[in-house]
């Protein structure tokens, strides 16, 4: 019987994942602009644009972290596989707290837009808890409300909303400093994804990645009612929770769900965030040098193609290829097996042709001359 290789649920996954990456990347770039403006206000010395933000809340991954991240992810996966029953409540609570903060970050621009006409942007003091604007308080309150409803209902749409907040926050607050670190990280995660999807069954007699990703956790309200002996009717009718570590969308017939892990969104998203920041850095550098032309062996049309658009198209093609492969083989596929080559290879090729590969490979946002600022003073 003929069937469609891509159904409505997978199209929804495509669109949402691409929107999350684009939105998270532009939120990250906007944070750079805000930090740049603050630096200009706090310092009289003029400096060139630095893509590495000085914001303490932003984490930049170095080469060592990129190499050991797949090992740490493997250890976490094994802990969840062997000791899920013991750690599921703690893991659920930690995930809910992180999802609350991330979803509040996702809602913050909307809340700032809503509160701007009716309240000043002055911060309200809450003692040792800190100072917050009205928009921050509104976004956090809405996020807490959504998490509570998710705990009570376990609805997949609310879980998706929390997963979207996690994706955007991770893309915005985690940075890749260079193309070398990007290649190390994505190559290591490709091996990690392929091993745990394709080869873990030969060692553990089960597909570790799929089992951990699809295993529901006990609801904390149910566990609390049993621990406190609150009675059979208190907290016992709440559903088990599928944790927001993935995006799920039901098919049009409701017979199955299409699933995409947030790692398959965040990790390529970090690469796209890096190239977007580099595109902006290069644009500013060219404007400072009065529009100096690129290498002579590259046409002007090629020079106008941005790295961000090239890598985003590669991500879409890789996601489409992974979906078709899963439909043909009727089995779960390691998405990074398709996403990493389709994003990295076009990026490396275009960087080589444009003559930017050497600059992008190692710390492209650092100023080459460390003494220029002191000379200007």
């Amino acid at each position: 019987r003929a069937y469609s290789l891509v159904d409505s649920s997978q199209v929804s996954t495509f669109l949402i994942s691409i929107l999350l990456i684009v939105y998270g990347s532009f939120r990250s770039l906007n944070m750079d602009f805000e930090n740049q403006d603050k630096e200009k206000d706090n310092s009289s010395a003029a400096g060139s644009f630095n893509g590495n933000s000085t914001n303490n809340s932003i984490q930049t991954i170095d080469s060592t972290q990129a190499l050991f991240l797949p090992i740490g992810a493997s250890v976490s996966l094994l802990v969840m596989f062997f000791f899920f029953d013991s750690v599921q409540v703690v893991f659920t609570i930690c995930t809910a707290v992180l999802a609350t903060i991330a979803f509040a970050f996702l809602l913050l621009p909307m809340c700032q837009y809503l509160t701007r006409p009716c309240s000043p942007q002055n911060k309200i003091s809450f003692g040792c808890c800190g100072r917050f604007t009205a928009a921050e308080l509104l976004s956090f309150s809405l996020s807490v409300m959504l998490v509570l409803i998710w705990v009570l209902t376990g609805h997949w749409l609310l879980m998706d909303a929390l997963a979207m907040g996690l994706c955007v926050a991770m893309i915005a607050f985690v940075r890749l400093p260079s193309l070398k670190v990007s290649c190390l990280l994505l190559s290591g995660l490709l091996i990690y994804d392929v091993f745990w999807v394709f080869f873990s069954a030969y060692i553990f007699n089960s597909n570790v990645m799929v089992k951990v990703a699809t295993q529901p956790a006990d609801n904390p309200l149910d566990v609390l009612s049993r621990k406190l002996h609150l009675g059979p009717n208190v907290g016992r009718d709440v559903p088990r929770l599928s944790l927001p570590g993935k995006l799920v969308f039901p098919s049009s017939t409701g017979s199955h769900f299409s699933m995409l892990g947030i790692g398959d969104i965040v990790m390529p998203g970090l690469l796209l965030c890096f190239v977007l920041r580099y595109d902006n850095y290069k644009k500013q550098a060219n404007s400072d040098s009065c529009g100096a032309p690129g290498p002579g062996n590259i046409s002007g049309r090629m020079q106008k193609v941005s790295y961000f658009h090239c890598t985003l198209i590669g991500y879409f093609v890789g996601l489409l290829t992974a979906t078709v492969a899963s439909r043909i083989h009727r089995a779960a596929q390691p998405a990074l097996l398709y996403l990493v080559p389709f994003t990295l290879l076009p990026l490396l090729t275009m960087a080589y042709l444009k003559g930017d590969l050497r600059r992008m490979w190692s710390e492209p946002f650092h100023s080459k001359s460390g003494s220029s600022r002191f000379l200007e003073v």
Side-chain angles (χ1 to χ4, degrees):
R1 186 180 63 178
Y3 63 93
S4 174
L5 291 177
V6 180
D7 60 20
S8 59
S9 62
Q10 291 160 339
V11 172
S12 301
T13 306
F14 289 174
L15 297 177
I16 293 297
S17 61
I18 290 175
L19 288 174
L20 290 174
I21 288 176
V22 172
Y23 181 67
S25 299
F26 277 94
R27 285 289 297 271
S28 175
L29 187 63
N30 186 61
M31 291 168 63
D32 277 345
F33 288 146
E34 292 177 352
N35 291 326
Q36 183 183 5
D37 292 339
K38 290 179 181 178
E39 289 177 358
K40 287 181 179 179
D41 293 339
N42 296 333
S43 176
S44 59
S48 61
F49 175 73
N50 187 344
N52 289 325
S53 172
T54 58
N55 194 329
N56 293 329
S57 61
I58 292 176
Q59 175 65 41
T60 300
I61 298 178
D62 57 25
S63 299
T64 304
Q65 292 170 332
L67 288 173
F68 281 96
L69 186 59
I71 299 175
S74 299
V75 172
S76 301
L77 199 65
L78 284 176
V79 170
M80 293 297 295
F81 180 73
F82 286 112
F83 307 106
F84 185 78
D85 292 337
S86 302
V87 301
Q88 59 178 325
V89 176
V90 175
F91 189 73
T92 303
I93 294 175
C94 293
T95 304
V97 172
L98 291 176
T100 302
I101 299 172
F103 194 71
F105 174 75
L106 180 65
L107 292 177
L108 183 58
M110 181 191 71
C111 294
Q112 288 174 336
Y113 177 78
L114 293 176
T115 59
R116 186 176 302 166
C118 55
S119 66
Q121 297 300 313
N122 297 329
K123 292 189 175 183
I124 305 171
S125 177
F126 284 84
C128 60
C129 296
R131 298 169 60 86
F132 306 94
T133 63
E136 292 171 342
L137 295 175
L138 177 60
S139 65
F140 184 74
S141 301
L142 293 175
S143 182
V144 170
M145 186 183 306
L146 183 135
V147 170
L148 291 177
I149 297 174
W150 168 68
V151 170
L152 292 174
T153 63
H155 198 279
W156 66 267
L157 193 58
L158 301 178
M159 183 195 71
D160 278 358
L162 297 177
M164 292 176 195
L166 287 170
C167 288
V168 171
M170 292 175 70
I171 293 173
F173 284 99
V174 180
R175 304 290 172 84
L176 294 175
S178 65
L179 192 55
K180 179 181 72 173
V181 175
S182 304
C183 290
L184 287 174
L185 178 64
L186 291 176
S187 300
L189 289 173
L190 185 152
I191 298 172
Y192 155 85
D193 210 15
V194 169
F195 173 79
W196 289 111
V197 173
F198 283 154
F199 299 105
S200 61
Y202 297 104
I203 302 175
F204 303 100
N205 296 320
S206 178
N207 191 319
V208 176
M209 181 75 77
V210 173
K211 184 175 180 181
V212 171
T214 58
Q215 190 169 8
D218 288 338
N219 196 302
L221 296 180
D222 184 21
V223 175
L224 185 63
S225 66
R226 284 191 273 109
K227 294 291 184 181
L228 299 180
H229 305 286
L230 298 178
N233 297 324
V234 180
R236 299 298 177 88
D237 56 346
V238 291
R240 301 191 75 190
L241 296 175
S242 183
L243 301 181
K246 54 191 175 294
L247 290 179
V248 296
F249 287 94
S251 63
S252 56
T253 60
S255 58
H256 67 276
F257 278 78
S258 174
M259 183 178 69
L260 182 67
I262 64 172
D264 301 324
I265 301 173
V266 171
M267 296 307 161
L270 294 179
L271 177 65
L272 279 147
C273 180
F274 165 75
V275 296
L276 178 66
R277 292 165 55 227
Y278 184 80
D279 282 334
N280 181 75
Y281 167 82
K282 187 177 179 181
K283 182 179 178 181
Q284 289 195 5
N286 289 339
S287 64
D288 292 340
S289 60
C290 300
N297 60 334
I298 300 299
S299 66
R301 182 173 299 178
M302 172 66 80
Q303 286 292 334
K304 292 180 180 178
V305 178
S306 70
Y307 292 111
F308 181 76
H309 291 139
C310 173
T311 312
L312 186 63
I313 293 172
Y315 177 81
F316 175 79
V317 175
L319 198 59
L320 180 62
T321 306
T323 302
V324 172
S326 67
R327 297 281 286 182
I328 292 175
H329 297 289
R330 301 296 182 93
Q333 297 289 309
L336 291 179
L337 175 62
Y338 307 93
L339 294 175
V340 171
F342 276 104
T343 53
L344 272 183
L345 294 181
L347 173 60
L348 291 170
T349 302
M350 178 171 284
Y352 175 77
L353 293 176
K354 285 188 172 185
D356 292 330
L357 183 58
R358 186 184 298 273
R359 183 189 303 174
M360 295 179 69
W361 186 253
S362 57
E363 306 292 339
F365 303 121
H366 280 311
S367 176
K368 293 183 179 180
S369 175
S371 61
S372 60
R373 177 173 297 182
F374 298 98
L375 290 175
E376 289 175 2
V377 174

